[in-house]
Amino acid sequence: MTNEMRPSTLSTLGLGSVLDMVKQGAPPKSTEDLVTEVFGPPGDRGSLVISGANGIVGAGKTMQLGSRLEPFGVPIVALDFPGAPDGLGGQYQGLVRAFGSGGAAKVMSNVIQLRYDGTHLPPQLADLKPRFLLEAVPEILDIKRAHYEVFRAAYGNIEIRSVTSGFPQSALGVGIAHPAFPHEINKIFETVEPEPSAVTQLLWALGMIPIPVSDNWSFVLDVLFCGLTLAASKYHEASNMPFWKIDKHVRKMLGPNPFRAHDAIGAAGANFLTWSCLHHLSEHYGGLFEPTAVLEQRKESGQNWYPLDHFRPLVDWPLDATELDELRTWIVGPLMQMTALMVHEKRSHFALMNAIGEICAQFGSGVLATARRLGSDQIRATVEAYHGLYPEAASSPWHPEAFDSMDDLSWQQLYVNAEHDGSVGVISLGRESYNSDVDAELNRAVDWLKAEGIERVILTGDFHLSTQHVGADTTEFYPALEDEAAGVRISASWSRTARRLNDEFAASVALINGKRCLGGMLELMLHCHYVIAVDDARLGFPEVTLPVVPGMEGCHWPFRKAAREDWSKLFSLLLEGKPLKAPDTVGWLVDYAGSLESALGTAWSVASGGDHGLKRRKVVDGPLETAGVEVPRLLEPASPAGRKAILDTVRAACEANLTEAVDVQAKHSGAFMVSKDCRGGVIGTMAKKTLAI
């Protein structure tokens, strides 16, 4: 029997839990089996039809899915009207960059472009045996419904999914697979269907990130993104502040640039979609979602929101504390009222609802994490203040009680989950970058497992939301650029969390399952007694390229576990910033690398006390003498000062004993963050871009 802090997000796809997968030693369903289930057996495979294939969404999905289905012999039919602009051609160079000219040509040779008049399907289509239609035609309900009827009349059992941004399944009559923007890059699909289907599971098996949501208007992403755009446009109408200036405030406050995003996607289409979502939401929920006059106007004109760059510096608009508080009310108030509505309606698993805003709409923290940080009292006060500024929103549903249960584990564990079978536990990370929220949740997960009597644990990704682990969330370092003590606190506290994996379990196993594990996330994994990786994962410390000093003990912990003759490899990894493939690090950084199935099996054998053949590498407690170790010849680093700071930290932390080293490396890390070299680097530049209004 499996006990869990909260349900795994994998279970929402009908794929069980992370613990189930590790114990099974394989994914719950193979890609080949799911391709067969959706498209038919090898030698008799049907096709994927993408209608509206030359539009922004259709073209992006043609390339994204076409490249993944070509190896399985699934033909891709790109269907559109005669005379439609060549959206597919515009995607080709991206395909070349990803796969090379030969690989791109191979993918495109499997894409068959057909035209139709909107009423009669081309006769050639029958020979391609359509099995799955992904519909990306314009957001007009009657056109969509008529489109489905044409396909059903010709191919009665065909699977149909709509990429609609707002219409629910109940209005369309088909399932939904709504891709997040930017369409050719982002792997998120919001899915609406009665039960998890083979289509959705195939998206997961192909490396996509399907997120089941309930059948409500505009799902989750567009309530957040369109709602934030609406809030910003309402503040514009109240203050006359320029759109780009509002964007700078919103970016500092929450992370996204809603107006700039419309221009980046293509204002002509994005403006209409935002208006359409808000229009339908307002019909169902009232004034909270009522489109502003400026949205109505730009829906028709397709005009960009940003002026030419050289006009922007001419406008300066400083705000005093009272004005900033009012701006925050205009932005955060409606966002929290909308969040309360989605929580009340149970639109998705909390971890999934939270992740959508981060992964898709560039929120620095998901809306539920933001709400958790604000607290229910502050949220109530902000929404009530917003109703005073915009009384029309008070007539819309407002569910403050949605925030009354924030002490529940469903709220508390948005990024980190834990489960166990009575003897072995699994901690799964559902965020690609480490931040203070992940740190707090990881500590709660360890506490929970210890309270449950678990002494053996596996730390891994969640096999759903986190397809890679890219290191620390560098926005966490912004305060440390001005305050050395803040940098020391982050480094020391995060390191002490990581040490719990080494100190508090009889056996801990890191299972690196994503395509890369870098920086702080790799430092975290290395604190486990055993480190196992899939053989196509890339591992490294990119800190020198930023530059910043690795702050979670990367400057001494790996040296304490590696043989002295391998230290030069660690120096290269730290001082060049170039990642290595996992198999090239076996014996001195990781303990095993293999296929996903063998990595899963080995991790389970180690954690469960089975016969695994791996030797546990001990962490040296006493000081290490590094002066005699030759630093290899290195490529010219991005920052000589960063390289020197890292090297100095290695020397100082290694030459301390293990107890003292955590504070030694934290002091070095904090001291370098306030240096001109760090502040003038990538992190300092991004901080200035974000914080300087």
Side-chain angles (χ1 to χ4, degrees):
M1 178 180 175
T2 298
N3 294 322
E4 53 193 3
M5 291 188 82
R6 48 92 168 152
S8 163
T9 63
L10 271 182
S11 66
T12 67
L13 305 177
L15 296 173
S17 70
V18 177
L19 178 58
D20 293 336
M21 188 185 304
V22 177
K23 293 176 75 170
Q24 181 178 307
K29 293 187 178 182
S30 74
T31 309
E32 177 65 38
D33 287 347
L34 287 165
V35 169
T36 296
E37 192 170 347
V38 176
F39 294 103
D44 189 33
R45 293 231 151 114
S47 61
L48 165 64
V49 180
I50 299 179
S51 55
N54 278 296
I56 295 174
V57 181
K61 293 302 118 180
T62 298
M63 298 301 175
Q64 193 178 60
L65 296 174
S67 62
R68 288 166 168 80
L69 289 170
E70 182 276 329
F72 296 93
V74 176
I76 310 298
V77 179
L79 187 65
D80 216 323
F81 293 113
D86 183 19
L88 292 173
Q91 298 283 333
Y92 183 69
Q93 288 306 312
L95 206 61
V96 172
R97 288 192 295 271
F99 298 100
S101 56
K106 189 176 183 182
V107 171
M108 287 304 297
S109 69
N110 193 49
V111 177
I112 302 102
Q113 296 191 54
L114 297 177
R115 307 291 183 178
Y116 80 127
D117 62 5
T119 303
H120 305 91
L121 296 176
Q124 309 97 302
L125 190 57
D127 294 334
L128 296 166
K129 295 175 290 189
R131 296 288 299 271
F132 175 29
L133 168 66
L134 187 66
E135 168 268 303
V137 303
E139 287 290 280
I140 300 172
L141 190 58
D142 290 342
I143 290 177
K144 289 179 180 291
R145 286 172 169 165
H147 189 64
Y148 309 144
E149 291 308 310
V150 170
F151 270 88
R152 283 171 171 151
Y155 310 102
N157 295 322
I158 190 170
E159 287 277 3
I160 302 176
R161 297 293 184 276
S162 175
V163 304
T164 180
S165 288
F167 293 120
Q169 181 182 19
S170 57
L172 291 169
V174 301
I176 291 159
H178 170 225
F181 54 85
H183 305 291
E184 68 273 19
I185 300 171
N186 207 302
K187 298 177 181 179
I188 291 279
F189 282 83
E190 289 181 288
T191 61
V192 180
E193 52 192 7
E195 298 291 336
S197 69
V199 167
T200 295
Q201 292 171 349
L202 176 58
L203 290 174
W204 173 81
L206 292 171
M208 302 291 104
I209 306 175
I211 291 183
V213 296
S214 61
D215 194 32
N216 299 97
W217 285 87
S218 295
F219 323 121
V220 174
L221 171 59
D222 282 314
V223 169
L224 295 176
F225 177 69
C226 299
L228 183 61
T229 304
L230 177 63
S233 68
K234 284 180 178 176
Y235 180 73
H236 164 78
E237 292 194 342
S239 68
N240 204 33
M241 180 178 282
F243 302 115
W244 66 267
K245 190 75 171 182
I246 296 173
D247 257 5
K248 288 185 72 70
H249 283 290
V250 172
R251 177 171 177 159
K252 181 177 180 179
M253 194 183 305
L254 297 169
N257 285 327
F259 296 125
R260 180 69 185 92
H262 281 75
D263 291 354
I265 296 168
N271 292 354
F272 175 81
L273 288 176
T274 292
W275 172 86
S276 176
C277 287
L278 293 169
H279 168 73
H280 290 293
L281 284 166
S282 67
E283 287 187 331
H284 285 79
Y285 300 110
L288 177 65
F289 295 99
E290 185 67 36
T292 56
V294 69
L295 278 169
E296 295 272 4
Q297 184 269 322
R298 294 198 181 219
K299 176 260 293 190
E300 299 294 339
S301 68
Q303 181 183 350
N304 278 4
W305 296 87
Y306 272 40
L308 296 174
D309 285 350
H310 63 271
F311 286 131
R312 278 184 256 159
L314 300 177
V315 183
D316 189 18
W317 196 309
L319 299 178
D320 61 28
T322 301
E323 291 168 326
L324 281 171
D325 188 59
E326 182 175 307
L327 181 147
R328 178 175 290 276
T329 299
W330 275 104
I331 302 300
V332 176
L335 187 64
M336 287 298 106
Q337 186 173 353
M338 294 170 190
T339 300
L341 174 64
M342 292 191 292
V343 171
H344 173 77
E345 293 179 337
K346 300 178 181 178
R347 288 205 173 198
S348 192
H349 186 297
F350 277 13
L352 297 178
M353 192 187 306
N354 188 69
I356 286 173
E358 289 189 5
I359 300 174
C360 306
Q362 298 183 317
F363 281 79
S365 292
V367 289
L368 298 189
T370 299
R372 187 173 66 184
R373 196 171 298 120
L374 289 171
S376 60
D377 290 344
Q378 181 61 49
I379 292 170
R380 281 180 166 85
T382 302
V383 174
E384 288 167 8
Y386 176 64
H387 291 168
L389 295 172
Y390 187 73
E392 292 88 340
S395 64
S396 292
W398 164 221
H399 296 281
E401 74 282 356
F403 301 111
D404 288 344
S405 58
M406 284 195 280
D407 289 336
D408 294 350
L409 287 176
S410 58
W411 272 96
Q412 290 296 302
Q413 299 303 121
L414 298 172
Y415 301 107
V416 181
N417 195 26
E419 51 193 316
H420 70 84
D421 65 356
S423 59
V424 177
V426 170
I427 298 173
S428 52
L429 306 175
R431 195 175 198 265
E432 293 189 346
S433 59
Y434 198 91
N435 70 355
S436 55
D437 284 323
V438 174
D439 187 72
E441 292 190 17
L442 178 55
N443 276 299
R444 285 195 289 270
V446 171
D447 291 343
W448 182 80
L449 287 173
K450 297 295 292 181
E452 294 280 303
I454 301 302
E455 295 295 330
R456 310 178 73 85
V457 68
I458 297 170
L459 174 70
T460 188
D462 70 347
F463 291 87
H464 187 190
L465 297 173
S466 57
T467 60
Q468 59 184 341
H469 286 123
V470 297
D473 183 340
T474 55
T475 62
E476 293 273 333
F477 301 156
Y478 291 172
L481 297 171
E482 304 292 336
D483 179 7
E484 183 174 334
V488 173
R489 281 194 302 272
I490 291 172
S491 177
S493 63
W494 290 5
S495 295
R496 289 190 171 93
T497 298
R499 284 198 179 194
R500 298 188 71 185
L501 298 166
N502 178 77
D503 298 346
E504 298 187 27
F505 293 97
S508 59
V509 184
L511 173 58
I512 299 172
N513 64 293
K515 57 187 176 183
R516 58 178 65 88
C517 187
L518 305 173
M521 282 293 194
L522 179 58
E523 292 174 275
L524 176 71
M525 296 289 182
L526 294 177
H527 280 77
C528 290
H529 302 143
Y530 299 87
V531 183
I532 294 166
V534 294
D535 52 18
D536 56 352
R538 299 184 71 85
L539 315 177
F541 296 108
E543 284 89 344
V544 72
T545 66
L546 297 175
V548 68
V549 172
M552 290 176 72
E553 306 198 272
C555 289
H556 75 99
W557 193 273
F559 290 88
R560 295 179 185 276
K561 291 185 71 174
R564 189 176 181 86
E565 57 266 26
D566 290 322
W567 285 1
S568 62
K569 299 173 185 175
L570 287 169
F571 276 124
S572 294
L573 202 63
L574 283 164
L575 301 178
E576 284 188 341
K578 183 179 179 180
L580 297 175
K581 292 181 179 178
D584 296 333
T585 71
V586 172
W588 56 275
L589 191 69
V590 306
D591 301 293
Y592 179 88
S595 67
L596 175 59
E597 288 76 10
S598 65
L600 288 166
T602 303
W604 180 252
S605 293
V606 175
S608 62
D611 183 14
H612 53 80
L614 299 182
K615 183 179 180 180
R616 176 171 167 178
R617 293 182 293 133
K618 299 292 185 180
V619 180
V620 176
D621 184 74
L624 303 175
E625 177 56 59
T626 62
V629 178
E630 181 181 355
V631 177
R633 185 177 180 182
L634 301 168
L635 299 174
E636 188 67 25
S639 167
R643 175 181 166 184
K644 181 181 184 302
I646 291 172
L647 187 56
D648 288 346
T649 308
V650 170
R651 304 276 192 215
C654 284
E655 290 169 9
N657 63 42
L658 188 61
T659 301
E660 298 166 343
V662 67
D663 291 319
V664 171
Q665 56 91 40
K667 289 176 182 177
H668 276 260
S669 177
F672 185 70
M673 283 190 193
V674 296
S675 71
K676 64 179 180 61
D677 296 286
C678 182
R679 293 172 66 179
V682 173
I683 296 174
T685 300
M686 291 303 298
K688 185 176 181 180
K689 184 177 180 181
T690 301
L691 302 178
I693 306 294

